[in-house]
Amino acid sequence: MTGATTRDPAAGPDDASDPAAYPDSGPERTCIVTRVKGPPDGFIRFVVGPDRQVTPDLRCKLPGRGAWVTAERPRVLEAVKRRSFKRAFKSEVEVPPTLADMIDGLMEKDALQALSLANKAGLVVAGATKVEGSIGPKVPVALISASDGSADGIRKMEAAVRRLMGDDADSIARIRDFRSDQLDLALGRTNVIHAAVAGGTAAEGFVARARRLARYRGTPKAETAVSEPTIETELIED
């Protein structure tokens, strides 16, 4: 990754046309849309390819100087609309009209690949009965419910978790951004509606990516639990 471009002495400190206004190294990044600063994990890095097309660099590994946008879909859409990439790179660039959707797909794929790795590491159990049974021996770092699963099933799972863990249930991330068919492919199973992810490096990587996706989409935070569930003891069908 290259360092920040030398600042043009004639440019003011808030000159949006100055590439040096958007540092590509150091402890903080600056959004080219909002000018808000923060740690790198709150932003998406973009580079310009040989074809002059703006390309998202989710893992911050592509060569060249980068431009950074707050990792939220509305900010990416605004960057496209306001031609912020042209100002940040100080050159004519081609911006795909579907850039915001492209990023969503890349983030989703990245998170599901991380889930698959966690599963291969033996950190995932699937099926409502197995999920409930796994909570006693270990505390999972995340509970997954398919986005197309029934609201009643999610409510019952939440009730079971709170019955077993009480207030400690709030420490578990809730992830609901993936359809059942996507979970099937990631876990190599069929009809996955509920799953639990045990602690471990691979699991933490998945949770971080799932939270990043949820933030980008503007969906409820992955760490937020369903409030005030009804406590039930009946078997939850998967």
Side-chain angles (χ1 to χ4, degrees), residues 156-233:
K156 290 176 180 177
M157 176 58 71
E158 184 68 26
V161 172
R162 289 199 175 272
R163 172 170 48 81
L164 291 166
M165 296 188 61
D167 291 340
D168 291 338
D170 291 332
S171 66
I172 305 173
R174 272 58 162 193
I175 296 171
R176 297 167 187 151
D177 280 286
F178 309 107
R179 302 185 311 272
S180 177
D181 63 306
Q182 293 176 311
L183 296 175
D184 290 351
L185 288 173
L187 301 178
R189 297 175 173 87
T190 58
N191 301 319
V192 177
I193 301 298
H194 301 285
V197 186
T201 301
E204 292 167 1
F206 162 66
V207 172
R209 287 166 172 79
R211 284 175 169 163
R212 185 172 169 85
L213 174 63
R215 178 190 175 190
Y216 179 78
R217 289 177 170 174
T219 53
K221 292 182 180 180
E223 65 267 24
T224 301
V226 176
S227 60
E228 299 182 0
T230 302
I231 304 300
E232 299 183 14
T233 57

Side-chain angles (χ1 to χ4, degrees), residues 23-52:
D24 201 24
S25 62
E28 289 189 328
R29 302 293 183 269
T30 302
C31 176
I32 65 173
V33 178
T34 65
R35 306 305 304 279
V36 171
K37 300 178 185 293
D41 59 4
F43 297 83
I44 300 170
R45 183 177 187 260
F46 296 86
V47 297
V48 178
D51 57 357
R52 304 306 299 165

